[in-house]
Amino acid sequence: MTEKKPDGADAGDAPRPELPATGWAVLGLLSFGEELSGYDLKKWSDRSLRFFYWSPSFSQIYGELKRLEKAGYVSSRTVAQETGHRDKRVYVITDEGMTAVRRWAREAPVEPPVLKHGVMLRLWLGHLLEDDRMREVLGRHREFAETMRQRAEADAAAAADEAARSGPALVLKWSERFYAAERDLADAMLADLAERDRGRR
């Protein structure tokens, strides 16, 4: 029986530290080949990752960058700012890091998504809420979903212009459809509430 090796370890290699999902996400952002600061990584995750996973906080990103650099997956250097601000540190993926994230993307088990839908949890407790409050919760969720759909649509169009980012563009199109579905589901539930109210009369 073959022993399973940690992510990023080849036969004969010393075992590499296992990374949390956030670490792989940060390394994945760097795998597109750009030299990026922590601020750049946060901006990009807000424009991409947040639509389908989550956008790590600055502290999480910088924590993972330290972990990745210690593992040899990224290297960094300090860059002087022309504007007079303090120098910034930028990071680039190493060959070892590229090998590790490629192997993770190809071979690591893909976990099924876990849905934590706060709106549905609130509506599930509808027997404790007034009808107006239920409609308000659904209305706000509909607005949120439509806003996210529009942002995903815009970011997908921007990503489509860069051939190297065909993967992000594809997932952003999925994100656009996902939030359109959330919007439509909210509309359907509002219609369900209206029909229930008519049945009570």
Side-chain angles (χ1 to χ4, degrees):
M1 181 175 176
T2 304
E3 182 181 353
K4 184 180 177 184
K5 296 179 175 58
D7 293 325
D10 281 326
D13 284 351
R16 304 302 296 175
E18 293 190 21
L19 298 178
T22 305
W24 291 116
V26 171
L27 194 60
L29 289 169
L30 289 168
S31 72
F32 291 91
E34 296 180 44
E35 193 175 45
L36 299 169
S37 67
Y39 177 76
D40 296 328
L41 288 163
K42 174 61 176 168
K43 283 202 306 183
W44 193 6
S45 66
D46 284 348
R47 292 197 313 268
S48 186
L49 292 178
R50 71 169 176 157
F51 291 110
F52 60 91
Y53 207 65
W54 81 89
S55 181
S57 65
F58 278 110
S59 61
Q60 287 177 307
I61 287 173
Y62 284 111
E64 291 306 325
L65 286 170
K66 288 180 182 177
R67 189 200 308 262
L68 292 167
E69 191 162 25
K70 185 177 179 181
Y73 290 166
V74 304
S75 62
S76 68
R77 67 185 180 95
T78 302
V79 177
Q81 300 272 52
E82 295 179 3
T83 57
H85 295 296
R86 66 177 187 173
D87 295 349
K88 70 176 179 179
R89 183 165 293 277
V90 293
Y91 297 82
V92 67
I93 195 167
T94 63
D95 290 342
E96 188 176 2
M98 187 66 80
T99 298
V101 72
R102 181 179 288 116
R103 183 177 296 114
W104 180 83
R106 291 176 176 176
E107 301 175 9
V110 180
E111 298 177 356
V114 176
L115 183 61
K116 293 182 178 179
H117 206 304
V119 174
M120 292 305 106
L121 179 59
R122 190 65 58 89
L123 294 174
W124 182 70
L125 295 171
H127 62 290
L128 305 177
L129 302 177
E130 297 80 8
D131 289 350
D132 286 347
R133 177 60 178 152
M134 294 177 73
R135 281 188 285 271
E136 180 187 356
V137 168
L138 274 170
R140 288 184 178 178
H141 179 59
R142 189 203 184 282
E143 290 175 8
F144 165 78
E146 176 57 15
T147 298
M148 292 293 281
R149 185 202 66 76
Q150 291 174 5
R151 290 175 180 169
E153 180 182 32
D155 290 343
D161 294 336
E162 303 179 45
R165 295 190 183 177
S166 59
L170 189 66
V171 174
L172 284 166
K173 285 294 292 181
W174 173 89
S175 300
E176 180 188 344
R177 295 178 186 123
F178 174 85
Y179 285 107
E182 282 285 296
R183 176 202 61 202
D184 294 346
L185 285 168
D187 283 338
M189 290 190 78
L190 285 165
D192 290 342
L193 278 173
E195 184 177 349
R196 188 196 68 177
D197 291 345
R198 284 193 296 272
R200 288 176 173 175
R201 292 174 189 155

mmCIF file of all heavy atoms in Angstrom, residues 127-174:
data_model
loop_
_atom_site.group_PDB
_atom_site.id
_atom_site.type_symbol
_atom_site.label_atom_id
_atom_site.label_comp_id
_atom_site.label_asym_id
_atom_site.label_seq_id
_atom_site.Cartn_x
_atom_site.Cartn_y
_atom_site.Cartn_z
ATOM 1 N N HIS A 127 -41.337 31.046 12.029
ATOM 2 C CA HIS A 127 -42.427 31.025 13.010
ATOM 3 C C HIS A 127 -42.160 32.006 14.149
ATOM 4 O O HIS A 127 -43.056 32.310 14.937
ATOM 5 C CB HIS A 127 -42.619 29.601 13.561
ATOM 6 C CG HIS A 127 -41.430 29.063 14.287
ATOM 7 N ND1 HIS A 127 -40.270 28.714 13.633
ATOM 8 C CD2 HIS A 127 -41.218 28.805 15.607
ATOM 9 C CE1 HIS A 127 -39.384 28.260 14.520
ATOM 10 N NE2 HIS A 127 -39.948 28.309 15.722
ATOM 11 N N LEU A 128 -40.913 32.502 14.229
ATOM 12 C CA LEU A 128 -40.565 33.477 15.267
ATOM 13 C C LEU A 128 -40.532 34.905 14.731
ATOM 14 O O LEU A 128 -40.258 35.835 15.475
ATOM 15 C CB LEU A 128 -39.184 33.148 15.853
ATOM 16 C CG LEU A 128 -39.003 31.730 16.402
ATOM 17 C CD1 LEU A 128 -37.569 31.539 16.876
ATOM 18 C CD2 LEU A 128 -39.990 31.458 17.543
ATOM 19 N N LEU A 129 -40.807 35.067 13.432
ATOM 20 C CA LEU A 129 -40.695 36.372 12.792
ATOM 21 C C LEU A 129 -42.048 36.856 12.274
ATOM 22 O O LEU A 129 -42.909 36.057 11.932
ATOM 23 C CB LEU A 129 -39.726 36.304 11.594
ATOM 24 C CG LEU A 129 -38.302 35.834 11.856
ATOM 25 C CD1 LEU A 129 -37.534 35.755 10.542
ATOM 26 C CD2 LEU A 129 -37.597 36.772 12.824
ATOM 27 N N GLU A 130 -42.167 38.168 12.193
ATOM 28 C CA GLU A 130 -43.329 38.750 11.540
ATOM 29 C C GLU A 130 -43.142 38.625 10.028
ATOM 30 O O GLU A 130 -42.017 38.576 9.530
ATOM 31 C CB GLU A 130 -43.495 40.234 11.916
ATOM 32 C CG GLU A 130 -43.761 40.485 13.392
ATOM 33 C CD GLU A 130 -42.501 40.439 14.243
ATOM 34 O OE1 GLU A 130 -41.391 40.368 13.658
ATOM 35 O OE2 GLU A 130 -42.634 40.451 15.476
ATOM 36 N N ASP A 131 -44.245 38.566 9.293
ATOM 37 C CA ASP A 131 -44.161 38.433 7.838
ATOM 38 C C ASP A 131 -43.374 39.581 7.206
ATOM 39 O O ASP A 131 -42.617 39.374 6.257
ATOM 40 C CB ASP A 131 -45.561 38.368 7.232
ATOM 41 C CG ASP A 131 -46.253 37.047 7.547
ATOM 42 O OD1 ASP A 131 -45.582 36.134 8.067
ATOM 43 O OD2 ASP A 131 -47.466 36.945 7.267
ATOM 44 N N ASP A 132 -43.566 40.800 7.720
ATOM 45 C CA ASP A 132 -42.844 41.944 7.166
ATOM 46 C C ASP A 132 -41.337 41.775 7.334
ATOM 47 O O ASP A 132 -40.567 42.155 6.451
ATOM 48 C CB ASP A 132 -43.287 43.245 7.838
ATOM 49 C CG ASP A 132 -44.663 43.703 7.384
ATOM 50 O OD1 ASP A 132 -45.167 43.142 6.374
ATOM 51 O OD2 ASP A 132 -45.241 44.598 8.024
ATOM 52 N N ARG A 133 -40.932 41.198 8.469
ATOM 53 C CA ARG A 133 -39.498 40.978 8.693
ATOM 54 C C ARG A 133 -38.958 39.926 7.736
ATOM 55 O O ARG A 133 -37.844 40.067 7.210
ATOM 56 C CB ARG A 133 -39.257 40.541 10.146
ATOM 57 C CG ARG A 133 -37.815 40.211 10.482
ATOM 58 C CD ARG A 133 -36.887 41.390 10.259
ATOM 59 N NE ARG A 133 -35.532 41.061 10.637
ATOM 60 C CZ ARG A 133 -34.444 41.609 10.104
ATOM 61 N NH1 ARG A 133 -34.571 42.541 9.167
ATOM 62 N NH2 ARG A 133 -33.250 41.262 10.504
ATOM 63 N N MET A 134 -39.724 38.890 7.463
ATOM 64 C CA MET A 134 -39.297 37.872 6.509
ATOM 65 C C MET A 134 -39.125 38.472 5.117
ATOM 66 O O MET A 134 -38.134 38.197 4.423
ATOM 67 C CB MET A 134 -40.302 36.715 6.485
ATOM 68 C CG MET A 134 -40.358 35.932 7.790
ATOM 69 S SD MET A 134 -41.608 34.629 7.757
ATOM 70 C CE MET A 134 -40.818 33.432 6.683
ATOM 71 N N ARG A 135 -40.080 39.310 4.721
ATOM 72 C CA ARG A 135 -39.979 39.959 3.411
ATOM 73 C C ARG A 135 -38.783 40.904 3.364
ATOM 74 O O ARG A 135 -38.104 41.021 2.340
ATOM 75 C CB ARG A 135 -41.277 40.704 3.088
ATOM 76 C CG ARG A 135 -42.397 39.790 2.598
ATOM 77 C CD ARG A 135 -43.585 40.583 2.100
ATOM 78 N NE ARG A 135 -44.347 41.148 3.201
ATOM 79 C CZ ARG A 135 -45.349 40.524 3.817
ATOM 80 N NH1 ARG A 135 -45.713 39.318 3.431
ATOM 81 N NH2 ARG A 135 -45.995 41.100 4.807
ATOM 82 N N GLU A 136 -38.527 41.584 4.476
ATOM 83 C CA GLU A 136 -37.374 42.488 4.533
ATOM 84 C C GLU A 136 -36.060 41.722 4.372
ATOM 85 O O GLU A 136 -35.173 42.140 3.620
ATOM 86 C CB GLU A 136 -37.375 43.244 5.869
ATOM 87 C CG GLU A 136 -36.203 44.206 6.015
ATOM 88 C CD GLU A 136 -36.137 44.812 7.408
ATOM 89 O OE1 GLU A 136 -37.029 44.549 8.238
ATOM 90 O OE2 GLU A 136 -35.165 45.543 7.669
ATOM 91 N N VAL A 137 -35.938 40.591 5.070
ATOM 92 C CA VAL A 137 -34.726 39.770 4.970
ATOM 93 C C VAL A 137 -34.518 39.304 3.527
ATOM 94 O O VAL A 137 -33.412 39.380 2.974
ATOM 95 C CB VAL A 137 -34.809 38.566 5.929
ATOM 96 C CG1 VAL A 137 -33.703 37.546 5.644
ATOM 97 C CG2 VAL A 137 -34.720 39.042 7.377
ATOM 98 N N LEU A 138 -35.597 38.829 2.906
ATOM 99 C CA LEU A 138 -35.500 38.359 1.524
ATOM 100 C C LEU A 138 -35.204 39.512 0.554
ATOM 101 O O LEU A 138 -34.415 39.349 -0.392
ATOM 102 C CB LEU A 138 -36.807 37.673 1.108
ATOM 103 C CG LEU A 138 -36.917 36.201 1.466
ATOM 104 C CD1 LEU A 138 -38.340 35.702 1.231
ATOM 105 C CD2 LEU A 138 -35.921 35.368 0.672
ATOM 106 N N GLY A 139 -35.815 40.651 0.784
ATOM 107 C CA GLY A 139 -35.575 41.801 -0.085
ATOM 108 C C GLY A 139 -34.131 42.259 -0.041
ATOM 109 O O GLY A 139 -33.523 42.568 -1.075
ATOM 110 N N ARG A 140 -33.565 42.303 1.167
ATOM 111 C CA ARG A 140 -32.163 42.698 1.294
ATOM 112 C C ARG A 140 -31.245 41.674 0.644
ATOM 113 O O ARG A 140 -30.232 42.023 0.022
ATOM 114 C CB ARG A 140 -31.803 42.878 2.765
ATOM 115 C CG ARG A 140 -32.406 44.122 3.385
ATOM 116 C CD ARG A 140 -31.944 44.307 4.811
ATOM 117 N NE ARG A 140 -32.488 45.530 5.383
ATOM 118 C CZ ARG A 140 -32.280 45.922 6.626
ATOM 119 N NH1 ARG A 140 -31.542 45.181 7.442
ATOM 120 N NH2 ARG A 140 -32.805 47.044 7.073
ATOM 121 N N HIS A 141 -31.589 40.401 0.793
ATOM 122 C CA HIS A 141 -30.773 39.361 0.160
ATOM 123 C C HIS A 141 -30.852 39.467 -1.355
ATOM 124 O O HIS A 141 -29.842 39.290 -2.047
ATOM 125 C CB HIS A 141 -31.224 37.967 0.615
ATOM 126 C CG HIS A 141 -30.435 36.869 -0.010
ATOM 127 N ND1 HIS A 141 -29.070 36.757 0.131
ATOM 128 C CD2 HIS A 141 -30.806 35.848 -0.824
ATOM 129 C CE1 HIS A 141 -28.633 35.703 -0.546
ATOM 130 N NE2 HIS A 141 -29.669 35.141 -1.142
ATOM 131 N N ARG A 142 -32.026 39.782 -1.867
ATOM 132 C CA ARG A 142 -32.165 39.941 -3.315
ATOM 133 C C ARG A 142 -31.281 41.071 -3.822
ATOM 134 O O ARG A 142 -30.599 40.946 -4.840
ATOM 135 C CB ARG A 142 -33.622 40.234 -3.666
ATOM 136 C CG ARG A 142 -33.879 40.200 -5.155
ATOM 137 C CD ARG A 142 -35.092 40.987 -5.588
ATOM 138 N NE ARG A 142 -35.310 40.825 -7.022
ATOM 139 C CZ ARG A 142 -34.596 41.467 -7.948
ATOM 140 N NH1 ARG A 142 -33.624 42.314 -7.591
ATOM 141 N NH2 ARG A 142 -34.834 41.263 -9.229
ATOM 142 N N GLU A 143 -31.272 42.203 -3.094
ATOM 143 C CA GLU A 143 -30.431 43.336 -3.484
ATOM 144 C C GLU A 143 -28.952 42.954 -3.434
ATOM 145 O O GLU A 143 -28.176 43.311 -4.331
ATOM 146 C CB GLU A 143 -30.694 44.525 -2.552
ATOM 147 C CG GLU A 143 -32.058 45.161 -2.732
ATOM 148 C CD GLU A 143 -32.316 46.250 -1.703
ATOM 149 O OE1 GLU A 143 -31.363 46.609 -0.960
ATOM 150 O OE2 GLU A 143 -33.461 46.732 -1.627
ATOM 151 N N PHE A 144 -28.552 42.250 -2.376
ATOM 152 C CA PHE A 144 -27.158 41.807 -2.253
ATOM 153 C C PHE A 144 -26.769 40.904 -3.412
ATOM 154 O O PHE A 144 -25.710 41.079 -4.031
ATOM 155 C CB PHE A 144 -26.977 41.060 -0.924
ATOM 156 C CG PHE A 144 -25.704 40.265 -0.839
ATOM 157 C CD1 PHE A 144 -24.489 40.885 -0.582
ATOM 158 C CD2 PHE A 144 -25.722 38.885 -1.022
ATOM 159 C CE1 PHE A 144 -23.317 40.154 -0.517
ATOM 160 C CE2 PHE A 144 -24.557 38.141 -0.953
ATOM 161 C CZ PHE A 144 -23.348 38.784 -0.697
ATOM 162 N N ALA A 145 -27.633 39.940 -3.731
ATOM 163 C CA ALA A 145 -27.332 38.991 -4.805
ATOM 164 C C ALA A 145 -27.200 39.707 -6.146
ATOM 165 O O ALA A 145 -26.295 39.402 -6.934
ATOM 166 C CB ALA A 145 -28.414 37.914 -4.876
ATOM 167 N N GLU A 146 -28.068 40.661 -6.410
ATOM 168 C CA GLU A 146 -28.000 41.388 -7.678
ATOM 169 C C GLU A 146 -26.740 42.255 -7.743
ATOM 170 O O GLU A 146 -26.092 42.347 -8.793
ATOM 171 C CB GLU A 146 -29.257 42.236 -7.875
ATOM 172 C CG GLU A 146 -29.253 43.112 -9.113
ATOM 173 C CD GLU A 146 -29.059 42.370 -10.424
ATOM 174 O OE1 GLU A 146 -29.204 41.113 -10.459
ATOM 175 O OE2 GLU A 146 -28.763 43.035 -11.437
ATOM 176 N N THR A 147 -26.367 42.870 -6.616
ATOM 177 C CA THR A 147 -25.127 43.653 -6.584
ATOM 178 C C THR A 147 -23.918 42.771 -6.858
ATOM 179 O O THR A 147 -23.037 43.127 -7.658
ATOM 180 C CB THR A 147 -24.962 44.347 -5.225
ATOM 181 O OG1 THR A 147 -26.053 45.257 -5.032
ATOM 182 C CG2 THR A 147 -23.655 45.114 -5.142
ATOM 183 N N MET A 148 -23.873 41.601 -6.223
ATOM 184 C CA MET A 148 -22.767 40.679 -6.441
ATOM 185 C C MET A 148 -22.758 40.162 -7.877
ATOM 186 O O MET A 148 -21.699 39.987 -8.489
ATOM 187 C CB MET A 148 -22.852 39.519 -5.454
ATOM 188 C CG MET A 148 -22.604 39.919 -4.008
ATOM 189 S SD MET A 148 -20.908 40.451 -3.697
ATOM 190 C CE MET A 148 -20.084 38.860 -3.595
ATOM 191 N N ARG A 149 -23.935 39.917 -8.438
ATOM 192 C CA ARG A 149 -24.006 39.463 -9.836
ATOM 193 C C ARG A 149 -23.398 40.499 -10.771
ATOM 194 O O ARG A 149 -22.619 40.169 -11.668
ATOM 195 C CB ARG A 149 -25.459 39.200 -10.234
ATOM 196 C CG ARG A 149 -25.606 38.598 -11.633
ATOM 197 C CD ARG A 149 -26.994 38.829 -12.207
ATOM 198 N NE ARG A 149 -27.262 40.225 -12.463
ATOM 199 C CZ ARG A 149 -26.764 40.921 -13.500
ATOM 200 N NH1 ARG A 149 -25.958 40.338 -14.368
ATOM 201 N NH2 ARG A 149 -27.072 42.196 -13.664
ATOM 202 N N GLN A 150 -23.747 41.758 -10.549
ATOM 203 C CA GLN A 150 -23.225 42.827 -11.400
ATOM 204 C C GLN A 150 -21.707 42.955 -11.260
ATOM 205 O O GLN A 150 -21.001 43.155 -12.256
ATOM 206 C CB GLN A 150 -23.906 44.154 -11.047
ATOM 207 C CG GLN A 150 -25.375 44.201 -11.420
ATOM 208 C CD GLN A 150 -26.064 45.460 -10.924
ATOM 209 O OE1 GLN A 150 -25.432 46.366 -10.366
ATOM 210 N NE2 GLN A 150 -27.375 45.523 -11.096
ATOM 211 N N ARG A 151 -21.203 42.826 -10.036
ATOM 212 C CA ARG A 151 -19.757 42.932 -9.831
ATOM 213 C C ARG A 151 -19.026 41.747 -10.464
ATOM 214 O O ARG A 151 -17.961 41.914 -11.057
ATOM 215 C CB ARG A 151 -19.454 43.016 -8.339
ATOM 216 C CG ARG A 151 -19.885 44.332 -7.714
ATOM 217 C CD ARG A 151 -19.679 44.347 -6.223
ATOM 218 N NE ARG A 151 -20.097 45.621 -5.649
ATOM 219 C CZ ARG A 151 -20.219 45.849 -4.352
ATOM 220 N NH1 ARG A 151 -19.936 44.894 -3.483
ATOM 221 N NH2 ARG A 151 -20.595 47.028 -3.909
ATOM 222 N N ALA A 152 -19.592 40.556 -10.325
ATOM 223 C CA ALA A 152 -18.983 39.383 -10.946
ATOM 224 C C ALA A 152 -18.982 39.509 -12.456
ATOM 225 O O ALA A 152 -18.008 39.142 -13.123
ATOM 226 C CB ALA A 152 -19.719 38.111 -10.512
ATOM 227 N N GLU A 153 -20.063 40.039 -13.007
ATOM 228 C CA GLU A 153 -20.154 40.244 -14.454
ATOM 229 C C GLU A 153 -19.060 41.187 -14.934
ATOM 230 O O GLU A 153 -18.380 40.927 -15.936
ATOM 231 C CB GLU A 153 -21.531 40.811 -14.814
ATOM 232 C CG GLU A 153 -21.734 41.058 -16.295
ATOM 233 C CD GLU A 153 -23.102 41.665 -16.590
ATOM 234 O OE1 GLU A 153 -23.617 42.422 -15.735
ATOM 235 O OE2 GLU A 153 -23.642 41.402 -17.674
ATOM 236 N N ALA A 154 -18.848 42.290 -14.210
ATOM 237 C CA ALA A 154 -17.826 43.261 -14.591
ATOM 238 C C ALA A 154 -16.428 42.666 -14.467
ATOM 239 O O ALA A 154 -15.578 42.853 -15.346
ATOM 240 C CB ALA A 154 -17.947 44.514 -13.725
ATOM 241 N N ASP A 155 -16.170 41.936 -13.383
ATOM 242 C CA ASP A 155 -14.845 41.343 -13.180
ATOM 243 C C ASP A 155 -14.588 40.226 -14.175
ATOM 244 O O ASP A 155 -13.454 40.020 -14.616
ATOM 245 C CB ASP A 155 -14.698 40.840 -11.743
ATOM 246 C CG ASP A 155 -14.630 41.989 -10.740
ATOM 247 O OD1 ASP A 155 -14.370 43.129 -11.168
ATOM 248 O OD2 ASP A 155 -14.823 41.746 -9.542
ATOM 249 N N ALA A 156 -15.625 39.496 -14.561
ATOM 250 C CA ALA A 156 -15.464 38.443 -15.568
ATOM 251 C C ALA A 156 -15.091 39.051 -16.909
ATOM 252 O O ALA A 156 -14.238 38.518 -17.630
ATOM 253 C CB ALA A 156 -16.753 37.629 -15.700
ATOM 254 N N ALA A 157 -15.704 40.177 -17.243
ATOM 255 C CA ALA A 157 -15.386 40.842 -18.511
ATOM 256 C C ALA A 157 -13.946 41.324 -18.515
ATOM 257 O O ALA A 157 -13.238 41.208 -19.523
ATOM 258 C CB ALA A 157 -16.341 42.012 -18.740
ATOM 259 N N ALA A 158 -13.474 41.844 -17.376
ATOM 260 C CA ALA A 158 -12.088 42.311 -17.292
ATOM 261 C C ALA A 158 -11.110 41.150 -17.393
ATOM 262 O O ALA A 158 -10.086 41.236 -18.067
ATOM 263 C CB ALA A 158 -11.878 43.080 -15.989
ATOM 264 N N ALA A 159 -11.428 40.033 -16.726
ATOM 265 C CA ALA A 159 -10.529 38.878 -16.742
ATOM 266 C C ALA A 159 -10.487 38.220 -18.108
ATOM 267 O O ALA A 159 -9.479 37.628 -18.489
ATOM 268 C CB ALA A 159 -10.968 37.865 -15.683
ATOM 269 N N ALA A 160 -11.570 38.335 -18.867
ATOM 270 C CA ALA A 160 -11.635 37.684 -20.180
ATOM 271 C C ALA A 160 -10.638 38.277 -21.168
ATOM 272 O O ALA A 160 -10.278 37.641 -22.152
ATOM 273 C CB ALA A 160 -13.044 37.785 -20.745
ATOM 274 N N ASP A 161 -10.169 39.493 -20.892
ATOM 275 C CA ASP A 161 -9.217 40.145 -21.789
ATOM 276 C C ASP A 161 -7.803 39.586 -21.647
ATOM 277 O O ASP A 161 -6.939 39.901 -22.452
ATOM 278 C CB ASP A 161 -9.185 41.656 -21.517
ATOM 279 C CG ASP A 161 -10.510 42.317 -21.876
ATOM 280 O OD1 ASP A 161 -11.235 41.747 -22.716
ATOM 281 O OD2 ASP A 161 -10.818 43.373 -21.307
ATOM 282 N N GLU A 162 -7.554 38.787 -20.605
ATOM 283 C CA GLU A 162 -6.221 38.258 -20.369
ATOM 284 C C GLU A 162 -6.255 36.747 -20.529
ATOM 285 O O GLU A 162 -6.875 36.050 -19.737
ATOM 286 C CB GLU A 162 -5.742 38.637 -18.969
ATOM 287 C CG GLU A 162 -5.734 40.150 -18.731
ATOM 288 C CD GLU A 162 -5.288 40.502 -17.330
ATOM 289 O OE1 GLU A 162 -4.286 39.920 -16.868
ATOM 290 O OE2 GLU A 162 -5.943 41.342 -16.701
ATOM 291 N N ALA A 163 -5.557 36.246 -21.539
ATOM 292 C CA ALA A 163 -5.575 34.813 -21.841
ATOM 293 C C ALA A 163 -5.085 33.981 -20.677
ATOM 294 O O ALA A 163 -5.570 32.879 -20.434
ATOM 295 C CB ALA A 163 -4.732 34.534 -23.088
ATOM 296 N N ALA A 164 -4.123 34.513 -19.920
ATOM 297 C CA ALA A 164 -3.554 33.751 -18.800
ATOM 298 C C ALA A 164 -4.563 33.557 -17.678
ATOM 299 O O ALA A 164 -4.354 32.732 -16.802
ATOM 300 C CB ALA A 164 -2.306 34.453 -18.264
ATOM 301 N N ARG A 165 -5.645 34.325 -17.699
ATOM 302 C CA ARG A 165 -6.623 34.240 -16.619
ATOM 303 C C ARG A 165 -7.927 33.630 -17.104
ATOM 304 O O ARG A 165 -9.012 34.004 -16.672
ATOM 305 C CB ARG A 165 -6.861 35.625 -16.017
ATOM 306 C CG ARG A 165 -5.609 36.172 -15.347
ATOM 307 C CD ARG A 165 -5.885 37.402 -14.563
ATOM 308 N NE ARG A 165 -4.645 37.932 -13.997
ATOM 309 C CZ ARG A 165 -4.552 39.043 -13.296
ATOM 310 N NH1 ARG A 165 -5.623 39.758 -13.075
ATOM 311 N NH2 ARG A 165 -3.407 39.452 -12.820
ATOM 312 N N SER A 166 -7.837 32.669 -18.002
ATOM 313 C CA SER A 166 -9.052 32.035 -18.509
ATOM 314 C C SER A 166 -9.778 31.281 -17.401
ATOM 315 O O SER A 166 -11.005 31.219 -17.392
ATOM 316 C CB SER A 166 -8.717 31.094 -19.665
ATOM 317 O OG SER A 166 -7.808 30.081 -19.242
ATOM 318 N N GLY A 167 -9.037 30.710 -16.453
ATOM 319 C CA GLY A 167 -9.673 30.026 -15.325
ATOM 320 C C GLY A 167 -10.482 30.975 -14.467
ATOM 321 O O GLY A 167 -11.677 30.733 -14.216
ATOM 322 N N PRO A 168 -9.881 32.074 -13.982
ATOM 323 C CA PRO A 168 -10.669 33.040 -13.224
ATOM 324 C C PRO A 168 -11.865 33.580 -13.990
ATOM 325 O O PRO A 168 -12.937 33.769 -13.421
ATOM 326 C CB PRO A 168 -9.647 34.145 -12.914
ATOM 327 C CG PRO A 168 -8.350 33.437 -12.845
ATOM 328 C CD PRO A 168 -8.434 32.370 -13.912
ATOM 329 N N ALA A 169 -11.698 33.824 -15.285
ATOM 330 C CA ALA A 169 -12.827 34.330 -16.077
ATOM 331 C C ALA A 169 -13.964 33.318 -16.105
ATOM 332 O O ALA A 169 -15.140 33.677 -15.987
ATOM 333 C CB ALA A 169 -12.367 34.653 -17.506
ATOM 334 N N LEU A 170 -13.626 32.041 -16.239
ATOM 335 C CA LEU A 170 -14.636 30.987 -16.263
ATOM 336 C C LEU A 170 -15.380 30.917 -14.933
ATOM 337 O O LEU A 170 -16.612 30.819 -14.892
ATOM 338 C CB LEU A 170 -13.954 29.649 -16.565
ATOM 339 C CG LEU A 170 -14.848 28.443 -16.841
ATOM 340 C CD1 LEU A 170 -15.619 28.637 -18.136
ATOM 341 C CD2 LEU A 170 -14.003 27.171 -16.908
ATOM 342 N N VAL A 171 -14.629 30.990 -13.830
ATOM 343 C CA VAL A 171 -15.261 30.906 -12.505
ATOM 344 C C VAL A 171 -16.070 32.160 -12.215
ATOM 345 O O VAL A 171 -17.123 32.096 -11.561
ATOM 346 C CB VAL A 171 -14.193 30.651 -11.416
ATOM 347 C CG1 VAL A 171 -14.817 30.699 -10.032
ATOM 348 C CG2 VAL A 171 -13.520 29.301 -11.636
ATOM 349 N N LEU A 172 -15.620 33.311 -12.691
ATOM 350 C CA LEU A 172 -16.398 34.530 -12.493
ATOM 351 C C LEU A 172 -17.711 34.488 -13.263
ATOM 352 O O LEU A 172 -18.729 35.013 -12.803
ATOM 353 C CB LEU A 172 -15.572 35.749 -12.890
ATOM 354 C CG LEU A 172 -14.504 36.155 -11.864
ATOM 355 C CD1 LEU A 172 -13.508 37.129 -12.473
ATOM 356 C CD2 LEU A 172 -15.147 36.750 -10.613
ATOM 357 N N LYS A 173 -17.717 33.848 -14.435
ATOM 358 C CA LYS A 173 -18.986 33.654 -15.160
ATOM 359 C C LYS A 173 -19.917 32.763 -14.349
ATOM 360 O O LYS A 173 -21.125 33.004 -14.269
ATOM 361 C CB LYS A 173 -18.723 33.027 -16.535
ATOM 362 C CG LYS A 173 -18.144 33.978 -17.553
ATOM 363 C CD LYS A 173 -19.099 35.093 -17.934
ATOM 364 C CE LYS A 173 -20.301 34.585 -18.718
ATOM 365 N NZ LYS A 173 -21.207 35.699 -19.104
ATOM 366 N N TRP A 174 -19.353 31.718 -13.746
ATOM 367 C CA TRP A 174 -20.146 30.857 -12.862
ATOM 368 C C TRP A 174 -20.688 31.688 -11.702
ATOM 369 O O TRP A 174 -21.867 31.556 -11.320
ATOM 370 C CB TRP A 174 -19.287 29.706 -12.333
ATOM 371 C CG TRP A 174 -19.988 28.883 -11.292
ATOM 372 C CD1 TRP A 174 -20.780 27.795 -11.500
ATOM 373 C CD2 TRP A 174 -19.971 29.100 -9.861
ATOM 374 N NE1 TRP A 174 -21.253 27.317 -10.295
ATOM 375 C CE2 TRP A 174 -20.771 28.097 -9.281
ATOM 376 C CE3 TRP A 174 -19.354 30.040 -9.040
ATOM 377 C CZ2 TRP A 174 -20.966 28.009 -7.907
ATOM 378 C CZ3 TRP A 174 -19.549 29.956 -7.671
ATOM 379 C CH2 TRP A 174 -20.347 28.945 -7.124
#
